[in-house]
Amino acid sequence: MKLVVLLFFLVLIASNATSRDEADSLRNLIPIAGKEQQLDLLTKLGLYYQSNNFDSALYYFSKAKNVSQELNLQDKTNELHKLIGTVYFRKGNYEQSQVEYKKAMDGYIKANDMVGQAKIINNISMLLQAQGKNPEAIANLEEALKTLTESGDEQLKTLPLTNLGIIYFHSGNYPMATSNFNQALVIAKIYNDMPNISNITNYLGT
């Protein structure tokens, strides 16, 4: 089994096709856009910067969150709290990351959005793992699996299963790592999820 060094987060990833010129164009449209279009533009800019400029990503995601709150779009606000939490995680600011994830979780609970809750539970587990709190991380991932089972979202279960495999691998529990990777692989194959099939197969070293 190959060494796994990356953990999976369920976050919205900006397209690589977004260039600096396109980002400048989006920024120039903000002053003349309506509120809903501003929300879309600010979110796209945050997604563009999240992989290369954390501070800029936080700036645009925060501005987008404020607009979302003005428009009373709770689902979008929850998503933006999640995105902000992940940027803080990447910056190494685990305390603020947890604050944002909790706000997202509170919103998902209020909306009775079980899939949203499972996504946040998964991300919190990775936050715990990064701090060396493996037992708590495993407990969170198992809770995410239970929530996804109850919600009927089988395909998304590949995420916590894969992350469980990663944690068990780094803990030296190779049988459990292999078991979780194989469960994730079975689900990925059912849904013909080629990116996850490729990733999980790579983890298994086959």
Side-chain angles (χ1 to χ4, degrees), residues 5 25 28 52 56 61 63 68 76 107 117 121 125 159 171 176 181 183 186-188 190 196 203 206:
V5 296
S25 296
N28 291 335
N52 56 61
S56 291
F61 282 147
K63 295 278 282 187
S68 177
K76 187 66 176 180
Q117 292 175 47
I121 293 168
S125 72
L159 184 72
S171 300
M176 284 297 293
F181 284 142
Q183 289 179 66
V186 167
I187 295 172
I190 289 173
N196 268 328
Y203 295 156
T206 57

Side-chain angles (χ1 to χ4, degrees), residues 6-203:
L6 296 177
L7 299 177
F8 272 27
F9 276 83
L10 196 65
V11 295
L12 192 59
I13 303 301
S15 169
N16 291 331
T18 304
S19 68
R20 182 174 298 178
D21 288 342
E22 288 172 315
D24 288 340
S25 296
L26 294 175
R27 195 160 30 245
N28 291 335
L29 288 172
I30 293 172
I32 60 174
K35 285 293 184 181
E36 290 189 2
Q37 189 179 8
Q38 283 183 11
L39 175 58
D40 183 58
L41 294 168
L42 290 164
T43 302
K44 286 179 178 178
L45 283 165
L47 293 170
Y48 170 70
Y49 284 112
Q50 70 176 354
S51 61
N52 56 61
N53 189 324
F54 295 148
D55 290 337
S56 291
L58 288 173
Y59 173 80
Y60 287 111
F61 282 147
S62 295
K63 295 278 282 187
K65 181 195 68 179
N66 292 339
V67 175
S68 177
Q69 289 173 330
E70 287 179 30
L71 295 171
N72 198 29
L73 298 175
Q74 189 60 52
D75 287 349
K76 187 66 176 180
T77 300
N78 296 340
E79 177 191 339
L80 286 160
H81 278 304
K82 174 164 62 73
L83 289 166
I84 292 169
T86 299
V87 175
Y88 275 121
F89 177 90
R90 291 172 174 171
K91 286 189 68 170
N93 189 337
Y94 300 146
E95 183 177 355
Q96 193 58 41
S97 176
Q98 188 163 354
V99 168
E100 294 295 332
Y101 284 151
K102 184 180 185 304
K103 289 178 180 178
M105 176 62 86
D106 289 344
Y108 286 130
I109 290 172
K110 184 178 179 180
N112 196 31
D113 183 344
M114 297 183 72
V115 173
Q117 292 175 47
K119 292 176 181 179
I120 293 299
I121 293 168
N122 177 81
N123 284 12
I124 290 173
S125 72
M126 296 297 93
L127 183 61
L128 291 166
Q129 196 275 342
Q131 298 174 81
K133 301 176 181 178
N134 284 352
E136 293 95 328
I138 289 170
N140 269 266
L141 287 168
E142 289 174 345
E143 183 180 351
L145 275 173
K146 180 181 177 182
T147 301
L148 289 170
T149 298
E150 292 173 354
S151 72
D153 195 322
E154 285 293 311
Q155 186 173 4
L156 195 56
K157 287 167 68 173
T158 56
L159 184 72
L161 284 168
T162 301
N163 282 329
L164 278 168
I166 292 170
I167 292 175
Y168 280 123
F169 179 87
H170 284 297
S171 300
N173 190 337
Y174 302 126
M176 284 297 293
T178 300
S179 174
N180 281 280
F181 284 142
N182 280 330
Q183 289 179 66
L185 184 60
V186 167
I187 295 172
K189 286 181 176 179
I190 289 173
Y191 292 95
N192 197 31
D193 185 349
M194 296 310 297
N196 268 328
I197 290 172
S198 176
N199 287 326
I200 297 164
T201 302
N202 184 57
Y203 295 156

